[in-house]
Amino acid sequence: MSFWKNKTLAEMDTQEWESLCDGCGKCCLNKLIDDETEELYYTNAACKLLDPSDGHCVHYVQRFNFVPSCTQVTVDNVAELTWLPDSCAYRRLHFGRELPSWHPLITGSKEAMHAAGMSIQNKVTCETKVKYMEDHIVLWPLKDIE
């Protein structure tokens, strides 16, 4: 049942890989990088395809047709995607950490994740409504408990 404890990321099949995503939506937030310091900043401006009530992409399978710059997380690039939050299951497992107690694979639903404040639920605005990204910098996506 706990396949993530017995397999490496590279050994997982497509269904297992996809199920690791907790659906928090943080990876779908616009991010800014300071040109001088290269520091990463999250904003609460979400991709136009992100459902703000539950954090899923409304066109996940066809997302690249709508947002060509969308990045697919793979076993080959997960280490390079430093903009993924530390709470991300792919990053956690890549760096030898466990899934948190609120993860949907452990709890059976997204409710514990939402209750722990680990998702974008009701915290974001659509990127199409944002005039200045700098005005939307937030710290909550950096939160990582456990």
Side-chain angles (χ1 to χ4, degrees):
M1 194 74 183
S2 303
F3 65 88
W4 61 91
K5 292 182 179 184
N6 302 319
K7 293 183 177 184
T8 66
L9 291 174
E11 294 171 332
M12 293 180 191
D13 62 33
T14 302
Q15 181 180 352
E16 291 167 334
W17 178 267
E18 290 291 326
S19 72
L20 283 179
C21 177
D22 55 36
C24 73
K26 293 178 187 176
C27 62
C28 300
L29 298 175
N30 284 271
K31 297 146 199 83
L32 300 172
I33 297 178
D34 185 304
D35 291 336
E36 293 177 14
T37 65
E38 295 189 20
E39 189 168 352
L40 174 74
Y41 296 95
Y42 282 84
T43 73
N44 67 345
C47 172
K48 63 185 177 183
L49 301 182
L50 189 66
D51 181 328
S53 63
D54 74 358
H56 80 273
C57 179
V58 297
H59 292 294
Y60 182 73
V61 175
Q62 302 92 12
R63 67 193 182 279
F64 301 109
N65 295 333
F66 295 94
V67 182
S69 62
C70 182
T71 302
Q72 182 171 0
V73 179
T74 68
V75 70
D76 294 325
N77 70 4
V78 69
E80 301 164 13
L81 302 179
T82 57
W83 49 263
L84 287 172
D86 289 339
S87 59
C88 174
Y90 300 110
R91 283 187 58 82
R92 289 177 74 107
L93 293 177
H94 174 76
F95 288 111
R97 295 176 67 199
E98 294 287 327
L99 293 183
S101 63
W102 51 261
H103 195 282
L105 283 174
I106 295 172
T107 65
S109 77
K110 289 184 173 186
E111 294 313 311
M113 174 182 62
H114 295 315
M118 297 306 295
S119 74
I120 58 90
Q121 186 179 51
N122 302 319
K123 297 178 186 172
V124 299
T125 188
C126 182
E127 65 189 354
T128 61
K129 296 178 181 177
V130 170
K131 186 170 182 179
Y132 301 109
M133 283 292 169
E134 297 83 7
D135 293 339
H136 290 267
I137 292 173
V138 291
L139 297 176
W140 57 261
L142 300 172
K143 181 180 178 183
D144 186 21
I145 53 177
E146 294 179 44

